[in-house]
Amino acid sequence: MTTLPTSTQKKLGLVIDLDTCVGCHACVISCKGWNTENYGAPLSDQDAYGANPSGTFLNRVHSYEVQPTEGAAQLIHFPKSCLHCEDAPCVTVCPTGASYKRVEDGIVLVNESDCIGCGLCAWACPYGAREMDAEEKVMKKCTLCVDRIYNENLPEEDREPACVRTCPAGARHFGDFADPDSNVSRLTAERGGVDLMPEQGTKPVNKYLPPRPKDAMPEIDVLAPYLEPVVAEPKGFISWLDKALEKL
């Protein structure tokens, strides 16, 4: 079995703002594209244009209608991928050492050449963040785009995960949680970022920012400026037409 490092130099991960995510799936598509064309074996699809399509995705977005105890129901878009847990059970159950957590940055990865496709890591992960690639017969998971974030051939602004770079709503943020002054640490502190399923004891690095109560937001009628009369009394041709119509 694989052992976890006692500590890591960095804790790289994501902050996902559930109040901002619009469920557009841009992160899903960019993740699929980048990881198919670059890191490791391509993410395969089966019967992509048939009656029962399936495929391997490292990032998915689920949508739920949530009814709070008070206030109106809300539609919450919930992106999900590997959370790069500090106490990652997917690593410790791996019989070949294919799954491992890096000491230098805390990223959890899979050495595909050592993976035998036994699926134990998928059983151990409480978040369902691992997927068996049906064509390659190896386990796949989010890599935090490790081949992007350290790639000095890319412009500085592109050295972040593809999902973060692509998100049109700015709902995804990348940084080092070991640095209390980083953008992700400040966001987590300011907005009350939470762990996903903390009762599992996995200590996920990724955090979620809860949606704000919608009842606290002012009601805005976007059509109101167009519905107000331009003048109190019509003049000119409009005035004549108004009087002519009254006589009919």
Side-chain angles (χ1 to χ4, degrees):
M1 302 296 178
T2 312
T3 57
L4 289 164
T6 55
S7 63
T8 59
Q9 298 168 20
K10 293 182 178 181
K11 294 181 181 179
L12 297 184
L14 303 175
V15 167
I16 299 175
D17 191 345
L18 299 181
D19 190 61
T20 307
C21 177
V22 296
C24 67
H25 288 71
C27 56
V28 177
I29 301 304
S30 64
C31 173
K32 178 84 166 183
W34 179 263
N35 287 282
T36 292
E37 300 161 3
N38 294 277
Y39 181 84
L43 304 179
S44 68
D45 293 306
Q46 289 74 46
D47 196 25
Y49 302 102
N52 298 296
S54 65
T56 306
F57 291 83
L58 309 187
N59 182 52
R60 296 180 183 269
V61 178
H62 306 279
S63 297
Y64 304 95
E65 184 175 330
V66 178
Q67 177 61 67
T69 53
E70 296 182 3
Q74 296 178 241
L75 181 62
I76 305 298
H77 303 291
F78 191 86
K80 186 192 69 176
S81 59
C82 174
L83 291 96
H84 300 277
C85 305
E86 293 185 49
D87 190 7
C90 60
V91 170
T92 55
V93 301
C94 181
T96 66
S99 293
Y100 64 100
K101 188 174 180 67
R102 290 165 39 125
V103 175
E104 59 268 36
D105 50 26
I107 298 176
V108 176
L109 294 176
V110 177
N111 186 340
E112 295 178 5
S113 62
D114 293 337
C115 178
I116 59 175
C118 66
L120 283 176
C121 57
W123 282 97
C125 175
Y127 308 110
R130 295 215 171 197
E131 298 199 13
M132 172 69 74
D133 190 290
E135 184 172 327
E136 298 295 329
K137 306 301 182 185
V138 295
M139 299 305 297
K140 296 283 191 171
K141 62 175 296 300
C142 164
T143 67
L144 274 183
C145 287
V146 68
D147 54 335
R148 283 177 64 101
I149 61 178
Y150 294 114
N151 190 341
E152 295 183 356
N153 293 319
L154 293 176
E156 184 67 31
E157 61 270 19
D158 285 333
R159 296 176 199 172
E160 60 183 8
C163 61
V164 176
R165 185 72 173 126
T166 304
C167 180
R172 305 174 73 93
H173 308 270
F174 170 69
D176 181 10
F177 286 91
D179 179 5
D181 295 322
S182 68
N183 62 324
V184 289
S185 295
R186 292 198 308 270
L187 273 171
T188 301
E190 293 170 2
R191 289 277 309 280
V194 297
D195 291 346
L196 180 60
M197 298 165 60
E199 69 278 5
Q200 296 294 328
T202 60
K203 301 177 185 176
V205 173
N206 289 7
K207 308 297 179 188
Y208 286 89
L209 304 183
R212 298 179 178 92
K214 298 306 179 186
D215 288 350
M217 300 177 65
E219 292 292 335
I220 300 175
D221 186 351
V222 295
L223 296 177
Y226 302 100
L227 299 178
E228 296 178 359
V230 179
V231 292
E233 293 292 334
K235 298 179 180 179
F237 173 75
I238 298 298
S239 176
W240 172 85
L241 179 62
D242 185 49
K243 293 177 181 178
L245 292 175
E246 287 179 353
K247 297 179 180 179
L248 296 178

Short mmCIF file of all heavy atoms in Angstrom, two decimals, residues 40-97:
data_model
loop_
_atom_site.label_atom_id
_atom_site.label_comp_id
_atom_site.label_asym_id
_atom_site.label_seq_id
_atom_site.Cartn_x
_atom_site.Cartn_y
_atom_site.Cartn_z
N GLY A 40 -0.80 12.34 -19.91
CA GLY A 40 -1.21 10.93 -19.87
C GLY A 40 -1.95 10.47 -21.11
O GLY A 40 -1.95 11.11 -22.16
N ALA A 41 -2.62 9.32 -20.96
CA ALA A 41 -3.40 8.77 -22.07
C ALA A 41 -4.66 9.60 -22.30
O ALA A 41 -5.20 10.18 -21.36
CB ALA A 41 -3.77 7.32 -21.77
N PRO A 42 -5.15 9.69 -23.53
CA PRO A 42 -6.37 10.47 -23.81
C PRO A 42 -7.56 9.96 -23.01
O PRO A 42 -7.66 8.79 -22.67
CB PRO A 42 -6.58 10.25 -25.31
CG PRO A 42 -5.25 9.87 -25.84
CD PRO A 42 -4.57 9.10 -24.75
N LEU A 43 -8.47 10.89 -22.69
CA LEU A 43 -9.71 10.53 -22.01
C LEU A 43 -10.68 10.01 -23.06
O LEU A 43 -11.17 10.76 -23.89
CB LEU A 43 -10.29 11.74 -21.28
CG LEU A 43 -9.37 12.43 -20.26
CD1 LEU A 43 -10.08 13.63 -19.64
CD2 LEU A 43 -8.92 11.46 -19.19
N SER A 44 -10.97 8.74 -23.01
CA SER A 44 -11.72 8.10 -24.09
C SER A 44 -13.22 8.34 -23.96
O SER A 44 -13.74 8.66 -22.89
CB SER A 44 -11.45 6.60 -24.11
OG SER A 44 -11.99 5.97 -22.96
N ASP A 45 -13.91 8.16 -25.08
CA ASP A 45 -15.37 8.18 -25.15
C ASP A 45 -15.83 6.90 -25.82
O ASP A 45 -15.16 6.38 -26.72
CB ASP A 45 -15.88 9.39 -25.93
CG ASP A 45 -15.59 10.70 -25.21
OD1 ASP A 45 -15.99 10.83 -24.04
OD2 ASP A 45 -14.96 11.59 -25.82
N GLN A 46 -17.00 6.42 -25.41
CA GLN A 46 -17.58 5.22 -26.02
C GLN A 46 -18.97 5.55 -26.57
O GLN A 46 -19.78 6.16 -25.85
CB GLN A 46 -17.70 4.08 -24.99
CG GLN A 46 -16.36 3.48 -24.58
CD GLN A 46 -15.56 4.38 -23.66
OE1 GLN A 46 -16.09 4.93 -22.70
NE2 GLN A 46 -14.27 4.53 -23.93
N ASP A 47 -19.19 5.18 -27.81
CA ASP A 47 -20.49 5.40 -28.45
C ASP A 47 -20.90 6.87 -28.32
O ASP A 47 -22.04 7.19 -27.95
CB ASP A 47 -21.55 4.49 -27.81
CG ASP A 47 -22.81 4.39 -28.67
OD1 ASP A 47 -22.72 4.60 -29.89
OD2 ASP A 47 -23.89 4.10 -28.10
N ALA A 48 -19.96 7.75 -28.62
CA ALA A 48 -20.17 9.18 -28.38
C ALA A 48 -21.39 9.74 -29.09
O ALA A 48 -22.05 10.65 -28.56
CB ALA A 48 -18.91 9.95 -28.79
N TYR A 49 -21.73 9.21 -30.26
CA TYR A 49 -22.86 9.74 -31.02
C TYR A 49 -23.98 8.71 -31.15
O TYR A 49 -24.86 8.85 -31.99
CB TYR A 49 -22.38 10.18 -32.41
CG TYR A 49 -21.29 11.21 -32.36
CD1 TYR A 49 -19.96 10.86 -32.57
CD2 TYR A 49 -21.57 12.54 -32.05
CE1 TYR A 49 -18.94 11.80 -32.50
CE2 TYR A 49 -20.57 13.49 -31.98
CZ TYR A 49 -19.26 13.12 -32.20
OH TYR A 49 -18.26 14.05 -32.12
N GLY A 50 -23.94 7.70 -30.29
CA GLY A 50 -24.96 6.66 -30.33
C GLY A 50 -26.04 6.84 -29.29
O GLY A 50 -26.22 7.93 -28.73
N ALA A 51 -26.75 5.77 -29.01
CA ALA A 51 -27.88 5.83 -28.09
C ALA A 51 -27.44 5.83 -26.63
O ALA A 51 -28.16 6.35 -25.77
CB ALA A 51 -28.81 4.64 -28.35
N ASN A 52 -26.28 5.24 -26.33
CA ASN A 52 -25.81 5.16 -24.95
C ASN A 52 -24.38 5.65 -24.83
O ASN A 52 -23.44 4.88 -24.59
CB ASN A 52 -25.90 3.71 -24.45
CG ASN A 52 -27.32 3.19 -24.44
OD1 ASN A 52 -28.16 3.69 -23.71
ND2 ASN A 52 -27.58 2.17 -25.27
N PRO A 53 -24.18 6.97 -24.99
CA PRO A 53 -22.82 7.50 -24.93
C PRO A 53 -22.28 7.47 -23.49
O PRO A 53 -23.02 7.61 -22.53
CB PRO A 53 -22.99 8.94 -25.43
CG PRO A 53 -24.40 9.29 -25.08
CD PRO A 53 -25.18 8.01 -25.25
N SER A 54 -20.98 7.29 -23.37
CA SER A 54 -20.31 7.36 -22.08
C SER A 54 -18.89 7.83 -22.32
O SER A 54 -18.38 7.77 -23.44
CB SER A 54 -20.31 6.00 -21.37
OG SER A 54 -19.54 5.06 -22.10
N GLY A 55 -18.25 8.28 -21.27
CA GLY A 55 -16.88 8.77 -21.43
C GLY A 55 -16.24 9.04 -20.10
O GLY A 55 -16.87 8.95 -19.04
N THR A 56 -14.97 9.37 -20.15
CA THR A 56 -14.19 9.66 -18.95
C THR A 56 -14.03 11.16 -18.81
O THR A 56 -13.55 11.83 -19.73
CB THR A 56 -12.81 9.00 -19.04
OG1 THR A 56 -12.98 7.60 -19.30
CG2 THR A 56 -12.04 9.18 -17.74
N PHE A 57 -14.43 11.68 -17.66
CA PHE A 57 -14.30 13.10 -17.37
C PHE A 57 -13.64 13.27 -16.00
O PHE A 57 -13.97 12.55 -15.05
CB PHE A 57 -15.68 13.78 -17.36
CG PHE A 57 -16.33 13.87 -18.72
CD1 PHE A 57 -17.04 12.80 -19.23
CD2 PHE A 57 -16.23 15.02 -19.47
CE1 PHE A 57 -17.63 12.87 -20.48
CE2 PHE A 57 -16.83 15.11 -20.72
CZ PHE A 57 -17.54 14.02 -21.23
N LEU A 58 -12.72 14.22 -15.89
CA LEU A 58 -12.06 14.48 -14.62
C LEU A 58 -12.78 15.55 -13.81
O LEU A 58 -12.49 15.73 -12.63
CB LEU A 58 -10.60 14.91 -14.86
CG LEU A 58 -9.77 14.00 -15.78
CD1 LEU A 58 -8.32 14.45 -15.78
CD2 LEU A 58 -9.89 12.55 -15.35
N ASN A 59 -13.69 16.23 -14.45
CA ASN A 59 -14.46 17.28 -13.79
C ASN A 59 -15.90 17.20 -14.29
O ASN A 59 -16.13 17.06 -15.49
CB ASN A 59 -13.86 18.66 -14.09
CG ASN A 59 -14.60 19.78 -13.39
OD1 ASN A 59 -14.81 19.74 -12.19
ND2 ASN A 59 -14.99 20.80 -14.13
N ARG A 60 -16.85 17.23 -13.38
CA ARG A 60 -18.27 17.19 -13.76
C ARG A 60 -19.02 18.27 -12.98
O ARG A 60 -18.59 18.67 -11.89
CB ARG A 60 -18.88 15.82 -13.48
CG ARG A 60 -18.28 14.67 -14.31
CD ARG A 60 -18.93 13.34 -13.97
NE ARG A 60 -18.35 12.22 -14.70
CZ ARG A 60 -18.78 11.76 -15.86
NH1 ARG A 60 -19.83 12.34 -16.43
NH2 ARG A 60 -18.21 10.74 -16.45
N VAL A 61 -20.15 18.70 -13.53
CA VAL A 61 -21.00 19.68 -12.85
C VAL A 61 -22.38 19.07 -12.66
O VAL A 61 -23.02 18.65 -13.64
CB VAL A 61 -21.11 21.00 -13.65
CG1 VAL A 61 -22.05 21.97 -12.94
CG2 VAL A 61 -19.73 21.63 -13.83
N HIS A 62 -22.83 19.00 -11.41
CA HIS A 62 -24.17 18.52 -11.09
C HIS A 62 -25.03 19.71 -10.67
O HIS A 62 -24.53 20.66 -10.06
CB HIS A 62 -24.11 17.50 -9.95
CG HIS A 62 -23.16 16.36 -10.22
ND1 HIS A 62 -23.50 15.27 -11.00
CD2 HIS A 62 -21.88 16.14 -9.83
CE1 HIS A 62 -22.48 14.44 -11.07
NE2 HIS A 62 -21.48 14.94 -10.37
N SER A 63 -26.29 19.66 -10.98
CA SER A 63 -27.21 20.74 -10.62
C SER A 63 -28.32 20.20 -9.72
O SER A 63 -28.90 19.16 -10.01
CB SER A 63 -27.82 21.38 -11.88
OG SER A 63 -26.81 21.98 -12.68
N TYR A 64 -28.59 20.95 -8.65
CA TYR A 64 -29.59 20.53 -7.67
C TYR A 64 -30.51 21.70 -7.34
O TYR A 64 -30.06 22.85 -7.24
CB TYR A 64 -28.92 20.07 -6.37
CG TYR A 64 -27.90 18.98 -6.54
CD1 TYR A 64 -26.54 19.29 -6.66
CD2 TYR A 64 -28.27 17.64 -6.57
CE1 TYR A 64 -25.59 18.29 -6.81
CE2 TYR A 64 -27.32 16.64 -6.72
CZ TYR A 64 -25.98 16.97 -6.84
OH TYR A 64 -25.04 15.98 -6.99
N GLU A 65 -31.80 21.40 -7.18
CA GLU A 65 -32.72 22.39 -6.66
C GLU A 65 -32.77 22.23 -5.14
O GLU A 65 -33.11 21.16 -4.64
CB GLU A 65 -34.12 22.24 -7.24
CG GLU A 65 -35.07 23.34 -6.77
CD GLU A 65 -36.44 23.27 -7.42
OE1 GLU A 65 -36.51 22.82 -8.58
OE2 GLU A 65 -37.42 23.66 -6.76
N VAL A 66 -32.42 23.27 -4.43
CA VAL A 66 -32.31 23.23 -2.98
C VAL A 66 -33.38 24.11 -2.37
O VAL A 66 -33.55 25.27 -2.78
CB VAL A 66 -30.91 23.69 -2.52
CG1 VAL A 66 -30.81 23.69 -1.00
CG2 VAL A 66 -29.83 22.80 -3.12
N GLN A 67 -34.10 23.59 -1.40
CA GLN A 67 -35.13 24.35 -0.70
C GLN A 67 -34.63 24.66 0.71
O GLN A 67 -34.63 23.80 1.58
CB GLN A 67 -36.44 23.56 -0.63
CG GLN A 67 -37.54 24.27 0.16
CD GLN A 67 -37.92 25.60 -0.45
OE1 GLN A 67 -38.46 25.66 -1.54
NE2 GLN A 67 -37.65 26.70 0.27
N PRO A 68 -34.19 25.90 0.96
CA PRO A 68 -33.76 26.26 2.31
C PRO A 68 -34.93 26.21 3.29
O PRO A 68 -36.11 26.20 2.90
CB PRO A 68 -33.24 27.69 2.15
CG PRO A 68 -33.02 27.88 0.68
CD PRO A 68 -34.03 26.99 0.01
N THR A 69 -34.64 26.18 4.58
CA THR A 69 -35.69 26.19 5.59
C THR A 69 -36.49 27.49 5.52
O THR A 69 -37.67 27.51 5.85
CB THR A 69 -35.09 26.03 7.00
OG1 THR A 69 -34.06 27.02 7.18
CG2 THR A 69 -34.47 24.64 7.15
N GLU A 70 -35.84 28.56 5.09
CA GLU A 70 -36.51 29.84 4.90
C GLU A 70 -36.13 30.40 3.54
O GLU A 70 -35.00 30.26 3.10
CB GLU A 70 -36.13 30.83 6.01
CG GLU A 70 -36.56 30.41 7.40
CD GLU A 70 -36.19 31.44 8.45
OE1 GLU A 70 -35.66 32.50 8.05
OE2 GLU A 70 -36.41 31.20 9.64
N GLY A 71 -37.08 31.04 2.91
CA GLY A 71 -36.79 31.67 1.62
C GLY A 71 -37.12 30.79 0.43
O GLY A 71 -37.59 29.66 0.57
N ALA A 72 -36.84 31.34 -0.74
CA ALA A 72 -37.18 30.67 -1.99
C ALA A 72 -36.20 29.56 -2.30
O ALA A 72 -35.07 29.53 -1.82
CB ALA A 72 -37.19 31.70 -3.12
N ALA A 73 -36.64 28.62 -3.13
CA ALA A 73 -35.77 27.54 -3.59
C ALA A 73 -34.68 28.11 -4.49
O ALA A 73 -34.86 29.14 -5.13
CB ALA A 73 -36.59 26.49 -4.34
N GLN A 74 -33.55 27.42 -4.50
CA GLN A 74 -32.42 27.86 -5.31
C GLN A 74 -31.92 26.71 -6.17
O GLN A 74 -31.95 25.55 -5.75
CB GLN A 74 -31.27 28.33 -4.41
CG GLN A 74 -31.56 29.56 -3.57
CD GLN A 74 -30.40 29.91 -2.69
OE1 GLN A 74 -30.49 29.92 -1.47
NE2 GLN A 74 -29.26 30.21 -3.29
N LEU A 75 -31.46 27.04 -7.37
CA LEU A 75 -30.80 26.07 -8.23
C LEU A 75 -29.30 26.21 -8.02
O LEU A 75 -28.73 27.27 -8.32
CB LEU A 75 -31.16 26.31 -9.70
CG LEU A 75 -30.54 25.34 -10.71
CD1 LEU A 75 -31.00 23.90 -10.44
CD2 LEU A 75 -30.86 25.75 -12.13
N ILE A 76 -28.68 25.16 -7.50
CA ILE A 76 -27.25 25.20 -7.19
C ILE A 76 -26.51 24.32 -8.19
O ILE A 76 -26.82 23.15 -8.35
CB ILE A 76 -26.97 24.69 -5.75
CG1 ILE A 76 -27.80 25.49 -4.73
CG2 ILE A 76 -25.49 24.79 -5.44
CD1 ILE A 76 -27.48 26.97 -4.69
N HIS A 77 -25.51 24.92 -8.84
CA HIS A 77 -24.64 24.17 -9.74
C HIS A 77 -23.40 23.77 -8.95
O HIS A 77 -22.72 24.62 -8.36
CB HIS A 77 -24.27 25.01 -10.95
CG HIS A 77 -25.47 25.50 -11.71
ND1 HIS A 77 -26.29 24.66 -12.43
CD2 HIS A 77 -25.99 26.76 -11.83
CE1 HIS A 77 -27.26 25.37 -12.99
NE2 HIS A 77 -27.11 26.63 -12.63
N PHE A 78 -23.10 22.48 -8.95
CA PHE A 78 -22.08 21.94 -8.05
C PHE A 78 -20.98 21.23 -8.85
O PHE A 78 -21.12 20.06 -9.21
CB PHE A 78 -22.73 20.95 -7.07
CG PHE A 78 -21.84 20.53 -5.95
CD1 PHE A 78 -21.75 21.29 -4.79
CD2 PHE A 78 -21.08 19.37 -6.05
CE1 PHE A 78 -20.91 20.89 -3.77
CE2 PHE A 78 -20.25 18.97 -5.03
CZ PHE A 78 -20.16 19.74 -3.88
N PRO A 79 -19.87 21.92 -9.14
CA PRO A 79 -18.75 21.27 -9.82
C PRO A 79 -18.05 20.29 -8.88
O PRO A 79 -17.90 20.56 -7.68
CB PRO A 79 -17.82 22.44 -10.18
CG PRO A 79 -18.67 23.67 -10.03
CD PRO A 79 -19.66 23.36 -8.97
N LYS A 80 -17.61 19.17 -9.41
CA LYS A 80 -16.95 18.17 -8.59
C LYS A 80 -15.79 17.54 -9.32
O LYS A 80 -15.91 17.14 -10.48
CB LYS A 80 -17.94 17.08 -8.18
CG LYS A 80 -17.39 16.06 -7.18
CD LYS A 80 -18.32 14.87 -7.04
CE LYS A 80 -18.35 14.04 -8.29
NZ LYS A 80 -19.17 12.81 -8.18
N SER A 81 -14.66 17.48 -8.63
CA SER A 81 -13.47 16.79 -9.14
C SER A 81 -12.67 16.34 -7.93
O SER A 81 -13.13 16.46 -6.79
CB SER A 81 -12.64 17.73 -10.03
OG SER A 81 -12.22 18.87 -9.31
N CYS A 82 -11.47 15.80 -8.16
CA CYS A 82 -10.64 15.37 -7.03
C CYS A 82 -10.35 16.56 -6.13
O CYS A 82 -10.04 17.66 -6.60
CB CYS A 82 -9.33 14.77 -7.55
SG CYS A 82 -8.15 14.36 -6.23
N LEU A 83 -10.42 16.33 -4.82
CA LEU A 83 -10.19 17.41 -3.85
C LEU A 83 -8.79 17.38 -3.26
O LEU A 83 -8.46 18.15 -2.37
CB LEU A 83 -11.24 17.33 -2.73
CG LEU A 83 -12.65 17.69 -3.17
CD1 LEU A 83 -13.45 16.43 -3.51
CD2 LEU A 83 -13.39 18.49 -2.12
N HIS A 84 -7.93 16.47 -3.72
CA HIS A 84 -6.52 16.40 -3.32
C HIS A 84 -6.37 16.39 -1.80
O HIS A 84 -5.64 17.20 -1.22
CB HIS A 84 -5.73 17.53 -3.97
CG HIS A 84 -5.79 17.47 -5.47
ND1 HIS A 84 -4.96 16.67 -6.22
CD2 HIS A 84 -6.64 18.06 -6.36
CE1 HIS A 84 -5.26 16.78 -7.50
NE2 HIS A 84 -6.28 17.62 -7.62
N CYS A 85 -7.10 15.48 -1.18
CA CYS A 85 -7.19 15.42 0.29
C CYS A 85 -5.83 15.25 0.96
O CYS A 85 -4.93 14.59 0.42
CB CYS A 85 -8.10 14.26 0.69
SG CYS A 85 -9.74 14.32 -0.07
N GLU A 86 -5.72 15.84 2.14
CA GLU A 86 -4.51 15.64 2.93
C GLU A 86 -4.40 14.19 3.40
O GLU A 86 -3.32 13.60 3.40
CB GLU A 86 -4.51 16.59 4.13
CG GLU A 86 -4.38 18.06 3.77
CD GLU A 86 -4.28 18.94 5.00
OE1 GLU A 86 -3.47 18.62 5.89
OE2 GLU A 86 -5.03 19.94 5.08
N ASP A 87 -5.51 13.63 3.83
CA ASP A 87 -5.54 12.23 4.25
C ASP A 87 -6.31 11.44 3.20
O ASP A 87 -7.44 11.00 3.43
CB ASP A 87 -6.19 12.12 5.63
CG ASP A 87 -6.05 10.74 6.23
OD1 ASP A 87 -5.32 9.91 5.63
OD2 ASP A 87 -6.66 10.46 7.29
N ALA A 88 -5.68 11.27 2.05
CA ALA A 88 -6.37 10.71 0.88
C ALA A 88 -6.48 9.20 0.98
O ALA A 88 -5.47 8.49 0.84
CB ALA A 88 -5.62 11.10 -0.38
N PRO A 89 -7.69 8.66 1.15
CA PRO A 89 -7.85 7.20 1.24
C PRO A 89 -7.57 6.49 -0.08
O PRO A 89 -7.21 5.32 -0.09
CB PRO A 89 -9.30 7.03 1.68
CG PRO A 89 -10.00 8.27 1.22
CD PRO A 89 -8.98 9.36 1.33
N CYS A 90 -7.71 7.20 -1.19
CA CYS A 90 -7.44 6.60 -2.49
C CYS A 90 -5.97 6.24 -2.64
O CYS A 90 -5.61 5.31 -3.38
CB CYS A 90 -7.87 7.55 -3.61
SG CYS A 90 -7.01 9.14 -3.58
N VAL A 91 -5.11 6.96 -1.92
CA VAL A 91 -3.68 6.69 -1.98
C VAL A 91 -3.31 5.49 -1.12
O VAL A 91 -2.58 4.59 -1.55
CB VAL A 91 -2.88 7.94 -1.54
CG1 VAL A 91 -1.40 7.60 -1.36
CG2 VAL A 91 -3.05 9.07 -2.55
N THR A 92 -3.84 5.46 0.07
CA THR A 92 -3.42 4.42 1.02
C THR A 92 -3.93 3.03 0.66
O THR A 92 -3.39 2.03 1.14
CB THR A 92 -3.87 4.79 2.44
OG1 THR A 92 -5.28 5.01 2.46
CG2 THR A 92 -3.17 6.06 2.92
N VAL A 93 -4.99 2.94 -0.16
CA VAL A 93 -5.50 1.61 -0.54
C VAL A 93 -4.85 1.07 -1.81
O VAL A 93 -5.04 -0.10 -2.15
CB VAL A 93 -7.04 1.62 -0.74
CG1 VAL A 93 -7.74 2.06 0.53
CG2 VAL A 93 -7.44 2.50 -1.92
N CYS A 94 -4.10 1.90 -2.52
CA CYS A 94 -3.53 1.48 -3.80
C CYS A 94 -2.50 0.37 -3.59
O CYS A 94 -1.49 0.57 -2.91
CB CYS A 94 -2.90 2.67 -4.51
SG CYS A 94 -2.20 2.25 -6.12
N PRO A 95 -2.71 -0.81 -4.19
CA PRO A 95 -1.80 -1.93 -3.95
C PRO A 95 -0.49 -1.86 -4.71
O PRO A 95 0.46 -2.58 -4.39
CB PRO A 95 -2.63 -3.14 -4.40
CG PRO A 95 -3.53 -2.60 -5.46
CD PRO A 95 -3.86 -1.21 -5.03
N THR A 96 -0.40 -1.02 -5.73
CA THR A 96 0.81 -0.95 -6.55
C THR A 96 1.61 0.31 -6.35
O THR A 96 2.71 0.44 -6.91
CB THR A 96 0.44 -1.07 -8.04
OG1 THR A 96 -0.30 0.10 -8.44
CG2 THR A 96 -0.38 -2.32 -8.31
N GLY A 97 1.08 1.26 -5.59
CA GLY A 97 1.76 2.54 -5.44
C GLY A 97 1.51 3.48 -6.59
O GLY A 97 2.18 4.52 -6.71
#
